[in-house]
């Protein structure tokens, strides 16, 4: 199955090669540390493909969630929302404009699933921040942030990104003087700040994780970050690492990010120009260690591994169906096209006019608005199940955002 | 080997208990397989009964183990009746509870692939147009299907089970380290080679075994609870499927292990 899938990926996504080898551990830990440390901490030696068996880790239980859309302060932002749309909508998609005017701030429906899968450590973190700028007065309310962070080495960088990145992005947006946000710059600054915070984070406060924030082990910890900000008229995706965002538009899968793999030609060149090397050892790895070329954290691999995001800004259209953000636990075994197809099928199956349900079903017409939320949740679960069915060996995190507005 | 007074030894009784359990699993498996192909089972009554009985059997086996292990718990941590490969895969005198979750991944996986096969086929052909009626039916079945909720449940369960496992693993690790600490080390240093160990040594090892007994009890409880929770989360036909798979797996590994033992002259 995985073989078939890789074929599909290869054909349809030239920019994102699916290396079968990337299914191994992301981080090959070359432990330069003396035995003393290991003995001292009573940590068993490396196992499970270079991952460590670990102490029990208290994570905020991620599980699976589906959220109802949140309506927030419609009156205040109505005028501004309309103004934004008039500026942006030059493509003449008038039919969706009215809907947008009615509820420009409503958070799109979404579902998320984040599971350990065949790993024993959970290193993924997912963040969903609806109307995350609603506190700042001068900035648009209709901004919603979704992020997937796939940690390596330990989970604390991913968790920190989940907790902080949306706040940093909010502050950076707040700094923009003009009414239109310079997204690329704002996201680049946000990622740089996030990386900086991880580097200088207060060690004592959060040492509740496997690595116990011991240097230099703590330096060998990082996370991918793929963040999508959904505005009334745009989707902004900032990506760093090998998690991925894919837009499903009219049945076609459009990748909104391109994986940062060490063997991506431009990345390889960048690393080599910085004096680094890419060594093929269980796949292409920076210095033979890390199987991705950009990440938040990973201080010891700087400047070869950088935290700079690539930013994609996409105008929303009426044909947009959904947005999928996921960690490579999904993308290693499920192609973009298949993922979009599955998500789309879940969303459409519950959209009116829906196929007749069994009599006595409590999902009547009135419940449609709610059930679509369930549809997102189902889509994320189904994608996760598919990844596990295809023997994904990694943590799997999937966020599905429903972008349809004409309901 | 029988004891001098002609009564069966602890080892014999424990082995008997295990062999009985394996035989019971074989007959349970036969019944489960029958139930799997059962066409007419209104309200899954028969399946539910069977599942309940299977859980009871496991519970009884654990109970018997518990009373037998009062005398000789170490025998259960390194059972002579298991094959080498089984003992290599053991965790605290039995299987890891988290393997129940892995097993369900495999079963769910087959289900998902089957439900999505036509669809995935279509996607591979680049045909992402309209959904066919059967695709829609398939997806609706999946959504109405309790597995969706089950899936949520199992994913949450996995984290919890692994957490519990780690706690017990770490208790066992402490105990294993204790063997190289006082009082055992002091007793060993005082003892001359070839001299019968005193009651001191036995007392120290008895102390270890008491902790082992507690750990095994908790591990068995975790195995039982995980099994119950899993079976409770599944629909009756899925639960039967799951039990069939788990029993078959255990019986097969035991048989395969015997053949490998034989090959390496370990009979």
């Amino acid at each position: 199955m995985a073989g078939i899938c890789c074929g599909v990926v290869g054909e349809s996504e030239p920019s994102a090669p699916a290396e079968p080898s990337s299914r191994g551990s992301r981080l090959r830990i070359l432990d330069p540390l003396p035995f003393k440390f290991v003995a001292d901490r009573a940590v068993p030696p490396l196992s499970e493909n270079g991952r460590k068996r670990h102490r029990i880790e208290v994570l905020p239980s991620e599980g699976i969630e589906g959220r109802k859309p949140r309506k927030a302060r419609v009156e205040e932002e109505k005028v501004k929302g309309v103004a934004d749309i008039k500026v942006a909508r030059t493509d003449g998609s008038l039919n969706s404009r009215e809907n947008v005017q009615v509820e420009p701030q409503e958070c799109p429906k979404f579902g998320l699933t984040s599971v350990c899968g065949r790993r024993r450590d959970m290193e993924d973190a997912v963040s969903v921040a609806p109307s995350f700028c609603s506190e700042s007065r001068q900035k648009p309310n209709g901004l919603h942030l979704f992020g997937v962070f796939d940690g390596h080495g330990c989970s604390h960088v991913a968790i920190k990104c989940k907790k902080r990145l949306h706040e940093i992005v909010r502050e950076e947006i707040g700094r923009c003087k003009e009414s239109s946000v310079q997204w690329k710059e704002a996201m680049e600054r946000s990622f740089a700040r996030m990386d900086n915070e991880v580097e200088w984070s207060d060690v004592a406060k959060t040492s509740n994780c496997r690595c116990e924030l011991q240097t230099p082990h703590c330096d060998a910890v990082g996370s991918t970050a793929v963040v999508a900000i959904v505005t009334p008229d745009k989707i902004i995706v900032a990506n760093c690492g090998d998690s991925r965002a894919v837009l499903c538009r009219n049945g076609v899968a459009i990748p909104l990010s391109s994986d940062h793999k060490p063997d991506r030609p431009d990345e390889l060149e960048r690393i080599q120009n910085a004096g680094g090397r890419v060594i093929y050892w269980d796949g292409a790895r920076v210095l033979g260690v890390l199987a991705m070329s950009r990440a938040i954290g990973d201080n010891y691999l700087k400047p070869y591994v950088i935290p700079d995001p690539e930013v994609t800004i996409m105008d929303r259209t009426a044909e947009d169906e959904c947005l999928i953000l996921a960690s490579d636990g999904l993308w290693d075994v499920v192609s973009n096209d298949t993922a979009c197809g599955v998500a789309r099928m879940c969303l459409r199956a519950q959209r009116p006019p829906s196929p007749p349900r069994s009599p006595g079903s409590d999902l009547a017409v009135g419940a449609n608005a709610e059930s679509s939320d369930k549809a997102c949740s189902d889509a994320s679960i189904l994608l996760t199940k598919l990844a596990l069915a295809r023997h994904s060996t990694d943590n799997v995190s999937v966020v599905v955002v429903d972008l349809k507005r004409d309901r | 080997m029988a004891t001098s007074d002609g009564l069966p030894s602890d080892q014999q009784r424990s082995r008997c208990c295990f062999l009985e359990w394996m035989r019971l699993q074989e007959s349970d498996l036969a019944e489960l397989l029958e139930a799997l192909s059962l066409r007419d089972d209104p309200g899954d009554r028969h399946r539910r009964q069977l599942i309940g009985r299977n859980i009871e059997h496991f519970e009884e086996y654990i109970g018997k183990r518990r009373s037998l292990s009062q005398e000789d718990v170490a025998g259960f941590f390194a059972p002579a009746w298991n094959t080498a490969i089984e003992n290599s895969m053991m965790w605290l005198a039995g299987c890891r509870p988290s393997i129940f979750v892995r097993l369900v991944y495999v079963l769910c996986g087959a289900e998902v692939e089957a439900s999505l096969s036509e669809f995935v086929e279509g996607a591979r052909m680049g045909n992402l147009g309209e959904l066919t009626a059967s695709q829609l039916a398939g997806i609706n079945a999946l959504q109405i299907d309790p597995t969706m909720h089950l899936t949520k449940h199992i994913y949450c369960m996995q984290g919890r089970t692994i957490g519990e496992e780690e706690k017990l693993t770490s208790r066992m690790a402490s105990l294993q380290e204790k063997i190289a600490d006082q009082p055992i080390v002091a007793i060993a240093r005082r003892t001359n080679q070839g001299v019968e160990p005193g009651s001191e040594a036995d007392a120290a090892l008895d102390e270890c075994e008491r902790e082992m007994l507690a750990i095994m009890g908790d591990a068995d409880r975790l195995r039982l609870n995980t099994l119950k929770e899993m079976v409770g989360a599944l629909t009756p036909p899925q639960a039967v499927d799951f039990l069939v798979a788990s029993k078959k797996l255990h019986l097969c590994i035991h048989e395969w292990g015997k053949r490998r033992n034989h090959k390496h002259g370990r009979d």
Side-chain angles (χ1 to χ4, degrees):
Chain A
M1 257 312 160
I4 293 167
C5 182
C6 284
V8 177
V9 174
E11 284 156 29
S12 58
E13 302 155 32
S15 60
E19 287 284 324
S21 55
S22 65
R23 283 206 246 155
S25 168
R26 195 84 57 67
L27 184 66
R28 179 176 287 288
I29 299 173
L30 296 172
D31 205 335
L33 257 185
F35 180 70
K36 180 182 97 223
F37 175 83
V38 175
D40 180 32
R41 306 299 318 166
V43 174
L46 302 181
S47 64
E48 291 188 350
N49 212 3
R51 299 239 157 199
K52 285 183 168 174
R53 287 303 289 271
H54 55 99
R55 276 134 196 272
I56 298 145
E57 191 178 329
V58 185
L59 287 185
S61 67
E62 195 53 71
I64 299 116
E65 292 164 44
R67 289 272 168 71
K68 305 233 160 64
R70 192 194 286 178
K71 271 188 204 174
R73 284 188 265 161
V74 177
E75 326 72 65
E76 190 192 326
E77 290 300 328
K78 207 171 208 167
V79 179
K80 181 158 268 172
V82 174
D84 282 349
I85 285 148
K86 277 187 184 147
V87 176
R89 292 263 163 205
T90 51
D91 58 357
S93 55
L94 288 164
N95 48 349
S96 65
R97 186 183 288 182
E98 282 183 1
N99 292 307
V100 172
Q101 284 179 356
V102 176
E103 290 176 320
Q105 291 80 22
E106 186 160 307
C107 179
K109 288 151 189 161
F110 67 90
L112 76 88
T113 306
S114 184
V115 306
C116 220
R118 288 183 172 82
R119 279 261 162 79
R120 284 177 73 81
D121 319 316
M122 185 55 177
E123 293 179 339
D124 281 7
V126 177
S127 107
V128 173
S131 306
F132 73 108
C133 285
S134 60
E135 284 155 38
S136 79
R137 248 176 286 132
Q138 77 276 28
K139 292 298 164 192
N141 205 1
L143 302 181
H144 317 288
L145 181 143
F146 304 88
V148 169
F149 312 102
D150 178 358
H152 49 260
C154 184
S155 57
H156 69 256
V157 172
I159 289 172
K160 188 108 189 170
C161 288
K162 170 200 170 100
K163 282 184 186 154
R164 277 289 291 150
L165 192 49
H166 68 279
E167 294 170 355
I168 295 174
V169 172
R170 175 169 60 215
E171 287 165 19
E172 288 301 327
I173 293 172
R175 276 191 206 176
C176 297
K177 292 280 187 293
E178 327 83 292
S179 59
S180 68
V181 178
Q182 301 301 307
W183 285 109
K184 187 168 179 287
E185 293 72 20
M187 295 312 286
E188 283 168 355
R189 281 198 306 273
S190 301
F191 274 53
R193 274 182 63 192
M194 188 70 240
D195 183 70
N196 206 43
E197 278 195 19
V198 167
E199 190 177 350
W200 302 107
S201 63
D202 189 346
V203 170
K205 267 187 201 160
T206 46
S207 59
N208 195 15
C209 50
R210 185 166 85 252
C211 70
E212 298 187 350
L213 293 164
Q214 298 280 333
T215 48
H217 273 227
C218 183
D219 261 6
V221 175
S223 176
T224 72
V226 63
V227 171
I229 295 169
V230 178
T231 79
D233 59 310
K234 283 185 172 61
I235 299 166
I236 298 96
V237 169
N239 177 58
C240 172
D242 62 1
S243 299
R244 196 183 303 159
V246 175
L247 172 69
C248 180
R249 175 178 285 172
N250 204 15
V252 179
I254 304 171
L256 296 185
S257 67
S258 162
D259 303 356
H260 293 127
K261 291 287 189 187
D263 53 354
R264 203 178 94 179
D266 55 339
E267 288 292 281
L268 180 63
E269 199 187 328
R270 181 184 62 71
I271 292 164
Q272 284 171 343
N273 288 343
R277 287 183 65 195
V278 172
I279 298 166
Y280 288 78
W281 183 8
D282 187 17
R285 289 169 187 270
V286 179
L287 303 187
V289 180
L290 188 66
M292 69 187 80
S293 57
R294 300 192 190 192
I296 306 276
D298 289 302
N299 287 324
Y300 72 125
L301 288 175
K302 288 191 173 107
Y304 322 123
V305 171
I306 55 172
D308 310 9
E310 285 186 300
V311 182
T312 308
I313 302 168
M314 179 68 93
D315 283 329
R316 287 178 68 177
T317 72
E319 283 79 46
D320 292 353
E321 288 168 291
C322 63
L323 177 68
I324 305 169
L325 303 183
S327 59
D328 66 341
L330 177 75
W331 303 120
D332 277 350
V333 292
V334 178
S335 72
N336 292 358
D337 285 342
T338 303
C340 275
V342 170
R344 180 173 187 249
M345 189 163 68
C346 286
L347 299 181
R348 295 180 83 185
Q350 294 212 345
R351 199 162 281 163
S354 60
R357 296 188 171 278
S358 54
S361 165
D362 53 349
L363 290 165
V365 182
N368 265 321
E370 297 226 341
S371 64
S372 166
D373 195 24
K374 182 182 171 295
C376 285
S377 180
D378 281 358
S380 70
I381 296 175
L382 193 54
L383 285 170
T384 305
K385 281 174 89 167
L386 187 59
L388 292 171
R390 292 181 169 182
H391 222 272
S392 174
T393 49
D394 207 343
N395 299 149
V396 184
S397 296
V398 183
V399 180
V400 175
V401 183
D402 189 349
L403 296 173
K404 275 280 177 197
R405 296 184 287 197
D406 50 348
R407 266 171 298 136
Chain B
M1 200 185 293
T3 50
S4 53
D5 49 11
L7 291 170
S9 67
D10 293 333
Q11 168 80 358
Q12 277 175 320
R13 288 190 294 147
S14 298
R15 179 193 290 274
C16 256
C17 169
F18 172 75
L19 292 176
E20 264 173 43
W21 167 233
M22 291 305 265
R23 274 196 296 275
L24 185 58
Q25 290 205 91
E26 266 175 56
S27 63
D28 279 349
L29 177 61
E31 272 192 285
L32 286 162
L33 282 169
E34 234 173 81
L36 208 57
S37 51
L38 200 64
R39 299 260 157 172
D40 187 34
D41 186 12
D44 288 317
R45 262 188 61 198
H46 177 67
R47 289 196 183 98
R48 281 177 208 276
Q49 266 179 3
L50 196 57
I51 293 159
R53 199 154 63 232
N54 267 274
I55 301 284
E56 269 170 41
H57 286 166
F58 184 55
E59 215 162 351
E60 283 163 18
Y61 169 61
I62 283 177
K64 275 186 208 156
R65 260 159 69 99
R66 178 144 190 82
S67 63
L68 285 166
S69 61
Q70 303 293 324
E71 298 303 321
D72 175 28
V73 66
F76 284 88
F77 275 75
W81 49 84
N82 268 357
T83 61
I85 190 79
E86 285 173 286
N87 276 344
S88 313
M89 294 300 145
M90 279 242 286
W91 174 82
L92 306 184
C95 68
R96 269 189 188 273
S98 53
I99 67 170
F100 298 143
V101 180
R102 284 290 275 269
L103 188 56
V104 165
Y105 277 178
V106 176
L107 301 176
C108 272
E111 196 180 305
V112 171
E113 285 284 4
S115 310
L116 289 183
S117 62
E118 190 196 343
F119 167 74
V120 168
E121 194 72 17
R124 195 145 44 96
M125 314 277 285
N127 171 20
L128 279 164
E130 285 310 297
L131 301 168
T132 68
S134 68
Q135 281 172 353
L136 262 181
I139 196 67
N140 273 336
L142 271 171
Q143 283 173 337
I144 295 163
D145 187 61
T147 49
M148 276 299 177
H149 308 285
L150 143 83
T151 308
K152 285 186 186 185
H153 193 81
I154 287 171
Y155 291 154
C156 298
M157 199 172 136
Q158 184 188 19
R160 231 173 31 239
T161 307
I162 289 175
E164 293 294 318
E165 264 181 30
E166 295 295 331
K167 276 186 213 159
L168 284 170
T169 299
S170 134
R171 257 170 78 187
M172 190 66 199
S174 302
L175 179 62
Q176 284 164 337
E177 285 174 13
K178 237 166 144 180
I179 205 87
D181 205 337
Q182 306 294 24
I184 296 178
V185 171
I187 301 167
R189 292 180 75 167
R190 280 201 297 277
T191 307
N192 291 320
Q193 282 286 294
V195 177
E196 279 285 299
S199 57
E200 257 188 317
D202 266 335
L205 293 179
D206 283 349
E207 176 64 34
C208 275
E209 292 213 333
R210 265 194 290 282
E211 175 62 8
M212 283 164 74
L213 205 56
I215 291 174
M216 181 174 132
D218 287 347
D220 275 350
R221 204 164 305 126
L222 184 60
R223 280 184 274 265
L224 179 64
N225 288 342
T226 309
L227 181 68
K228 277 184 177 168
E229 201 177 337
M230 183 62 83
V231 163
L234 298 167
T235 63
Q238 288 172 330
V240 171
D241 212 8
F242 168 76
L243 288 170
V244 164
S246 70
K247 300 214 175 289
K248 242 187 151 166
L249 184 64
H250 190 185
L251 292 166
C252 279
I253 303 257
H254 190 60
E255 283 310 310
W256 299 339
K258 277 196 219 165
R259 287 172 57 184
R260 292 170 86 87
N261 263 2
H262 183 71
K263 200 170 102 190
H264 297 293
R266 268 196 300 263
D267 295 284

